[in-house]
Amino acid sequence: MTMPADLEADSARLREAMTKALAADGALADPAWRAAVATVPRHRFVPGFYLASDQRDAQGLTVWEPVTAELDYGRWLAAAYSDTTLITQFDGDEPDWKAPTARHGGAPTSSSTLPSLVVRMWADADVHEGHTVLEIGTGTGYSTALACERLGSADVTSIDVDPHRLEQAASALYGCGYTPTLAVADGLYGYWPEAEFDRVVAACSFRAVPPAQLAQVRPGGKILLTLSGWLYGYARVLLTVAGDGTAEGRLLPGTVSFMSARTHSAPAFGNPAQWAADLPQASRPARHSPERITAATEEAFHLRFLAQCAAPNAQMVTVGETVHLADVTTGSAATLAPGHGRWQVREGGPVPLWEQIEHVLSAYDAAGSPGPETFSLHVYGDGQHLRHPNMPSLPLPKP
């Protein structure tokens, strides 16, 4: 199918409407970022993507429908200029957008992040003219294009671990006249050829701050990244790097999640029933309900990250009414099941997983339920610790 002759007029109209809507919501307080959003043609970076359908398949999996201009021009263009994250890849499998098929379930591994969050990230990183920046996670290239529009291509470096994704992004960027430095590289190691940077901004998440990123930032420079882990708890932090290689900064408010850097993704842990089979039969009443970290609330989102710091190698899955925790590094496991009016815990292995989580939940309650912005992250030679004046220090995993 040939693109409609009025594509440019249609896209310009929708882009203007999106820019006005984002500005009305307070997402474009900086006129320079507003100008960038009003200029960059997002549709050029998302020739195809998936949207969740209203139905599930026979196994209960979400059915993801492919959307392209050829399949449905109006739906494609409207979604491209909506404040929505558009999934472009599942499980590392690159789609054939000339003949796409529906996906059933799967883990998203690449996307075009919603525009309001993209701009929020650049603004939170305190990026200004004259700064050199390293973007980790090029993805579709839309975020990269916004940075180029604002800063100039010469000051922007963007890397992605997926060569095909980077090739597609490069084609779109160069086609729009943007010429940043692009490279296939693992964000865990930054990008030495262009170091040092004034800012590092990660569009993926890490279990801890990668030392290479610290080493590639000028003294006084800043790193904005999302911390995550195997419990899928998330927190954003803006770090200021000192001249001695240390860094510190506060967590930022809000609830934001990003796909994990592929080298920090959770390992498979097998069948939960097999982990549970080896646990002692004796149980104890839980001091805290698992809903405290699984509920769909902003507090539970924050608590899940704190719980993850307490049990950094634990993974969690719910089967029926039973919550399973497993730690593949130590062989420890725990289950929580409702019974006798409260949750019952069974634990085994060298690490009492739920007990460790309960300690941090109790400390959080005793401290008066402090929000994310009251915590600070300290990075130094032999560790990384999350600190709060009224709670015990919580270490992050070794990067």
Side-chain angles (χ1 to χ4, degrees):
M1 169 182 169
T2 302
M3 288 292 182
D6 52 359
L7 171 60
E8 292 308 314
D10 290 343
S11 63
R13 173 177 51 82
L14 290 172
R15 187 162 59 252
E16 181 181 9
M18 182 183 76
T19 303
K20 289 181 177 178
L22 293 176
D25 289 341
L28 297 176
D30 185 332
W33 286 117
R34 177 169 180 162
V37 172
T39 302
V40 176
R42 191 187 187 204
H43 70 279
R44 298 280 294 274
F45 296 88
V46 285
F49 48 84
Y50 294 96
L51 294 178
S53 71
D54 295 331
Q55 62 178 337
R56 290 181 177 269
D57 66 12
Q59 286 72 45
L61 299 174
T62 299
V63 177
W64 294 90
E65 298 174 342
V67 180
T68 66
E70 288 76 11
L71 291 172
D72 190 332
Y73 171 77
R75 188 186 189 196
W76 166 72
L77 198 59
Y81 288 104
S82 65
D83 193 30
T84 305
T85 292
L86 303 173
I87 306 299
T88 56
Q89 186 191 80
F90 286 91
D91 302 316
D93 298 328
E94 190 63 30
D96 177 4
W97 291 116
K98 293 181 180 179
T101 58
R103 294 281 311 206
H104 292 244
T109 47
S110 188
S111 67
S112 177
T113 303
L114 66 161
S116 62
L117 178 53
V118 171
V119 176
R120 176 180 165 190
M121 288 172 59
W122 289 120
D124 284 345
D126 194 26
V127 173
H128 297 286
E129 289 81 359
H131 282 159
T132 56
V133 301
L134 170 63
E135 178 189 41
I136 296 173
T138 312
T140 65
Y142 175 67
S143 173
T144 317
L146 290 176
C148 290
E149 184 66 34
R150 169 69 190 273
L151 303 174
S153 297
D155 287 333
V156 178
T157 298
S158 186
I159 62 175
D160 201 290
V161 73
D162 186 324
H164 191 85
R165 281 282 86 219
L166 193 73
E167 180 182 1
Q168 297 297 310
S171 178
L173 285 161
Y174 298 155
C176 291
Y178 302 115
T179 56
T181 297
L182 300 174
V184 176
D186 188 333
L188 188 65
Y189 306 105
Y191 194 63
W192 286 103
E194 293 293 313
E196 295 175 318
F197 301 97
D198 294 300
R199 298 289 186 271
V200 171
V201 178
C204 57
S205 61
F206 295 89
R207 298 182 73 205
V209 182
Q213 293 182 20
L214 289 173
Q216 293 172 28
V217 175
R218 293 188 178 95
K222 297 180 180 180
I223 299 174
L224 177 72
L225 79 164
T226 301
L227 299 169
S228 66
W230 298 348
L231 285 181
Y232 299 102
Y234 297 89
R236 291 194 313 146
V237 64
L238 180 62
L239 293 165
T240 299
V241 178
D244 58 359
T246 63
E248 63 178 83
R250 289 198 174 275
L251 300 190
L252 301 180
T255 56
V256 171
S257 59
F258 277 103
M259 301 170 194
S260 294
R262 297 190 187 183
T263 45
H264 278 198
S265 296
F269 64 89
N271 185 344
Q274 291 179 318
W275 287 85
D278 292 331
L279 292 176
Q281 291 303 307
S283 65
R284 65 169 177 84
R287 296 195 296 276
H288 295 279
S289 160
E291 283 104 344
R292 294 205 64 187
I293 63 172
T294 60
T297 65
E298 191 164 329
E299 182 181 53
F301 187 94
H302 173 43
L303 283 177
R304 186 182 285 227
F305 177 72
L306 299 182
Q308 182 176 272
C309 292
N313 297 319
Q315 297 181 67
M316 181 170 60
V317 65
T318 300
V319 180
E321 292 186 300
T322 302
V323 177
H324 295 262
L325 293 167
D327 178 347
V328 300
T329 66
T330 65
S332 303
T335 63
L336 292 100
H340 308 295
R342 61 190 299 185
W343 289 85
Q344 300 294 313
V345 184
R346 296 165 56 214
E347 292 181 294
V351 178
L353 299 177
W354 190 249
E355 183 178 335
Q356 291 196 167
I357 291 173
E358 287 179 319
H359 285 322
V360 76
L361 294 178
S362 295
Y364 169 83
D365 292 340
S369 305
E373 64 279 2
T374 64
F375 289 80
S376 59
L377 180 65
H378 298 255
V379 182
Y380 40 90
D382 59 348
Q384 303 182 18
H385 283 78
L386 189 68
R387 291 177 179 166
H388 187 278
N390 299 318
M391 288 184 62
S393 175
L394 294 169
L396 298 189
K398 291 292 184 182

